[in-house]
Amino acid sequence: MKRAELTTVLGGTALVLAVAGVAFGFSSYWLFLATSAVLSALIALSVGVVHGRAGMVTLCPMAFAGVGAWTTGWLGVRTGLPFLVLVVVGGLAAVPVGVLIGLPALRLRGVNLAVATLAFGGAVAVVVFDKGFPGAAERIPVERPSFASSESAFFLLSVLVLALVAAALSAASRRSTGARWTAVRDSERATAALGYSVTTTKLLAFATSAFIAGLGGALMAGQLGILSGVGFQPMASIVVFTAAVAFGSSYVEGALLAGVAATVVPEVLRQLGLPQDIAPGLFALAALQALAAGSEGIAGQLRAALRARFGKRRTEYPAAPAAEAVAGPPPLPRPPAQGEPVLGVSDLGVVYGAVTALDAVKLTIRQGSVHGLIGPNGAGKSTLIDVLSGFVAPTAGRVLLSNVPLDGMPPHLRARGGIRRSFQQGRVNPQLTIGQYLTLSGRGRADQDLIERLIRAFGCPPAGTRVADIDVGTRRVVEVAATLAARPSVVLLDEPAAGLSAEESARLGRGIAGIPQQFGCSVLLVEHDIELVATCCDEATALDFGRVIANGTPADVLRDPAVVRAYLGSGDSTTHSNDGATLEVGS
C-alpha cells in the first residue's frame, strides 16, 4: 500500500474512532456541545465555498442558517413531514436567498461586498428572526426523528450530514464546478476566457453556500427544539466567518477546527468567568493574520507544510517530452496560408476618450495559419486581442468568426464558439494539477489522449504535477497548451514567450508552429520576440498607434521601412538578419 493510501486509511480510522468515542463516551452536556461544534463546522464549510474557494466575502452565513431553521420550524408545526425531509427543504429554502445576496457580488468586491452582505444579514434578523420562530410562542418544539431522539444519536446524524457535504464538496473540487470557483477567485477574466460564465459561477457558489448553511440551521432546529433569533444575529455571522477564515474552512479539517473553536472557546471563557466578547476578538485577529499572509488559514498552512515535507520537490524545468516536440532545427518560414478566413476584422476602431487605441484595423486569420502581430509598446496589440476575445467593445467595425458576426457576444460565449486566448500575465490556476487544468480548459472536450498530446507537443511536466510546483516560465507554456484543450477554431496568444529563456522560447516556437497541423487550429501570435515571429509564423501584421502599417510574410513585414521606423525611430541603423527577415537595429 502506498504512503498516501496508508495515511488516508489511518486518518479515516482515527476519525471514526474519535466520533464513536464522543458519541458513546461523553455526557449529555458535552454531547450537546459536540453537536453544536459539528453544526458550526457545517456552516463554516458554507463560508469555505464562497470565501475559501470562490474568493468572495459573505458576512451573513447565519442568516442562511436562520432561513433553514425558520423553514424547518414552520413546516414542523404545520405539517407531518419526516424530519429528514424538513432538513433538506430547509436547505433548499435558503438557496434563493443565497442567489439574491449573490447578485451584488456580480458588481461589488472586497469591503463593499462585505458591508452589503452584513447589512442583508441584519435586515433578515430584524424582519424575520426578531419576530420569533414558528412554534416558539406556543412552546411547540421541532420533533427529532425517533432514530435520532437521543443526544448521541443526533450527534451521529449531524456528523453523517457533515461527512456527506464534505464528500460532495471534495468531489466538486475534482470536477469543473470546484475548479471554476477557484478560477473565479484567481481571475475572472481568465475564467471567462475558458468559456465559463462568471455570473453563473458566482451565483452557484452563493447558492451552494446557502444550501449548506441552511442544512446546518435545519439541524439546529432539531437540536434545540425551540429556537430564538439570538443565535442568528449579524454578530454570530461575523464570529463564524472569522473562525472559518482563520482555520481555513475550504478544507474539511479547517471547518472542523473552526466549529470546535466557535463552540469550545466561548464555553471555556464562561467557565473562567471571562467576557464572551473576547472570542470574536481572538477569531478576528487570527483571520486578519491569515488574510495578511495570503494563506488559506491554519488548515491550508498545515497542508502546505505537509506537501513541503513529504511531497515532490519543485519542478524547475519541464519533464522531457516526446522527441518530436523538442528535437530538430527551428521551423523555416512558410508561405502565407491560402485557407479560408477563420477570423476576420474589418475597420475595427476603439476609442478611450481622446485616445484612439485602434483605428480602422483590418486583419484576416486564415485556416491553418500562424499569424504574427507585432508592434512597439502602445501600438494596440493587446487592445486588439481584448476586442477579439470580447473583453473590450469596439466603437467601430466588426469581428467575424467563420463569417458569423460576434457583435455584443460576451467573452465566455466567444470562448465556447471557438476563440481561446492566453494573457500577458500568466493566469493558470495554481490549485490544480496540469491535467486538471487542461480538463477544465477543455470543457468536456479534452479526453486523456488529447491531454497527453498537448503535454508532449509543448514539453509540459506530467499531468499529475501541481501547477503551484512548477516555475513561472513553464506555467506560461501550460497556459498555451490549455488554449487548445477545447479544440477551438483560433487561439490568441498574448506574448506567450515573455520571461522565457532562449531555449524555452525556441521550444515554445516549435510547439506553436505545429499547432495548425497537429490540432487543426489557427493562431494569432502577439509577440515582441521578433525571432520567434520570424521562425514560427507564415504571415504577419504590424501595428503602430492603432493602425496597420504592414502586412505580409514575416520577412517582408520585418524589413518594411515603416516597421523599422515604428520600432526604432529615425537615426543611424545597422541590419540584423534572421532567416531572411530583416529588421533595422539603430543607435
Side-chain angles (χ1 to χ4, degrees):
M1 182 178 294
K2 297 181 180 179
R3 177 185 293 181
E5 295 174 347
L6 179 61
T7 302
T8 301
V9 171
L10 292 177
T13 302
L15 184 60
V16 170
L17 291 176
V19 169
V22 172
F24 301 107
F26 279 25
S27 64
S28 296
Y29 173 73
W30 285 104
L31 268 174
F32 180 85
L33 288 181
T35 303
S36 299
V38 170
L39 299 183
S40 295
L42 190 60
I43 299 172
L45 268 182
S46 75
V47 176
V49 171
V50 171
H51 181 266
R53 296 171 187 259
M56 298 176 288
V57 177
T58 172
L59 296 182
C60 58
M62 294 307 297
F64 299 147
V67 169
W70 195 96
T71 303
T72 301
W74 190 88
L75 291 174
V77 170
R78 290 168 172 78
T79 71
L81 292 174
F83 178 76
L84 293 183
V85 175
L86 298 181
V87 170
V88 174
V89 173
L92 292 175
V95 170
V97 181
V99 173
L100 178 64
I101 192 56
L103 292 175
L106 304 178
R107 296 292 181 184
L108 301 179
R109 304 286 188 278
V111 174
N112 293 329
L113 180 58
V115 171
T117 57
L118 182 62
F120 174 83
V124 172
V126 171
V127 174
V128 180
F129 304 151
D130 283 356
K131 295 182 179 180
F133 279 76
E138 301 85 357
R139 309 301 294 176
I140 302 175
V142 176
E143 296 292 340
R144 295 179 183 180
S146 57
F147 63 84
S149 58
S150 66
E151 290 296 337
S152 59
F154 197 83
F155 167 76
L156 291 175
L157 173 63
S158 302
V159 169
L160 177 61
V161 173
L162 176 64
L164 291 174
V165 170
L169 290 177
S170 178
S173 67
R174 295 191 296 270
R175 298 179 179 274
S176 65
T177 300
R180 285 163 58 189
W181 288 337
T182 56
V184 162
R185 181 189 65 186
D186 294 335
S187 172
E188 293 183 13
R189 284 167 61 90
T191 303
L194 294 177
Y196 296 102
S197 169
V198 173
T199 297
T200 302
T201 301
K202 285 186 171 184
L203 292 181
L204 179 60
F206 267 97
T208 304
S209 174
F211 176 72
I212 296 172
L215 289 179
L219 288 170
M220 288 175 65
Q223 180 197 22
L224 300 174
I226 298 175
L227 295 169
S228 70
V230 175
F232 303 102
Q233 297 298 317
M235 181 53 69
S237 288
I238 293 176
V239 171
V240 171
F241 175 81
T242 53
V245 173
F247 289 97
S249 64
S250 55
Y251 304 110
V252 64
E253 64 270 25
L256 282 170
L257 290 173
V260 170
T263 303
V264 173
V265 170
E267 177 63 19
V268 171
L269 293 175
R270 189 186 68 81
Q271 296 279 358
L272 296 175
L274 297 174
Q276 293 290 300
D277 293 340
I278 294 177
L282 293 176
F283 297 148
L285 289 175
L288 286 174
Q289 188 277 330
L291 292 172
S295 68
E296 296 179 284
I298 292 175
Q301 293 172 354
L302 288 174
R303 289 199 176 202
L306 290 174
R307 282 196 300 267
R309 176 66 179 85
F310 299 106
K312 296 180 180 180
R313 295 184 178 181
R314 180 183 177 87
T315 303
E316 297 295 339
Y317 299 97
E324 65 268 18
V326 176
L332 295 175
R334 298 170 291 181
Q338 302 300 318
E340 294 294 322
V342 64
L343 185 64
V345 173
S346 60
D347 298 320
L348 201 65
V350 174
V351 177
Y352 300 115
V355 178
T356 300
L358 296 176
D359 185 7
V361 171
K362 293 182 174 64
L363 181 68
T364 299
I365 311 300
R366 298 188 179 277
Q367 188 173 4
S369 70
V370 179
H371 194 118
L373 183 65
I374 64 172
N377 290 329
K381 304 184 299 298
S382 292
T383 299
L384 178 57
I385 279 196
D386 283 342
V387 171
L388 296 177
S389 54
F391 290 100
V392 171
T395 53
R398 308 191 83 182
V399 177
L400 303 175
L401 179 63
S402 299
N403 294 321
V404 177
L406 302 182
D407 303 337
M409 184 177 291
H412 70 281
L413 293 183
R414 296 193 186 202
R416 295 178 190 179
I419 299 178
R420 287 299 183 94
R421 66 164 296 178
S422 66
F423 294 87
Q424 286 186 19
Q425 292 78 30
R427 303 195 181 190
V428 183
N429 189 337
Q431 303 291 326
L432 305 177
T433 65
I434 291 174
Q436 288 172 335
Y437 182 68
L438 294 177
T439 300
L440 175 69
S441 303
R443 289 186 50 83
R445 303 187 66 184
D447 54 25
Q448 192 61 36
D449 177 66
L450 178 58
I451 290 174
E452 292 300 327
R453 285 174 57 206
L454 289 169
I455 288 174
R456 289 197 304 270
F458 291 94
C460 300
T465 307
R466 293 179 71 249
V467 172
D469 295 331
I470 60 178
D471 57 83
V472 175
T474 306
R475 293 189 195 188
R476 296 190 66 82
V477 176
V478 170
E479 186 175 10
V480 172
T483 61
L484 300 165
R487 306 177 189 270
S489 303
V490 59
V491 295
L492 316 175
L493 304 181
D494 196 355
E495 299 189 25
L500 299 185
S501 66
E503 180 183 352
E504 291 171 330
S505 181
R507 179 167 56 233
L508 177 63
R510 284 187 280 271
I512 293 173
I515 286 175
Q517 182 177 1
Q518 293 189 54
F519 302 103
C521 176
S522 302
V523 181
L524 176 63
L525 173 65
V526 174
E527 257 303 334
H528 282 294
D529 187 336
I530 299 301
E531 183 176 355
L532 182 63
V533 172
T535 56
C536 75
C537 295
D538 44 31
E539 193 169 0
T541 297
L543 291 179
D544 191 29
F545 293 109
R547 297 183 65 89
V548 175
I549 59 174
N551 185 79
T553 66
D556 291 339
V557 169
L558 293 175
R559 66 167 61 97
D560 189 291
V563 176
V564 175
R565 285 194 299 271
Y567 269 97
L568 306 167
S570 59
D572 297 334
S573 63
T574 57
T575 300
H576 169 70
S577 178
N578 178 42
D579 292 325
T582 304
L583 179 65
E584 301 291 332
V585 182
S587 58

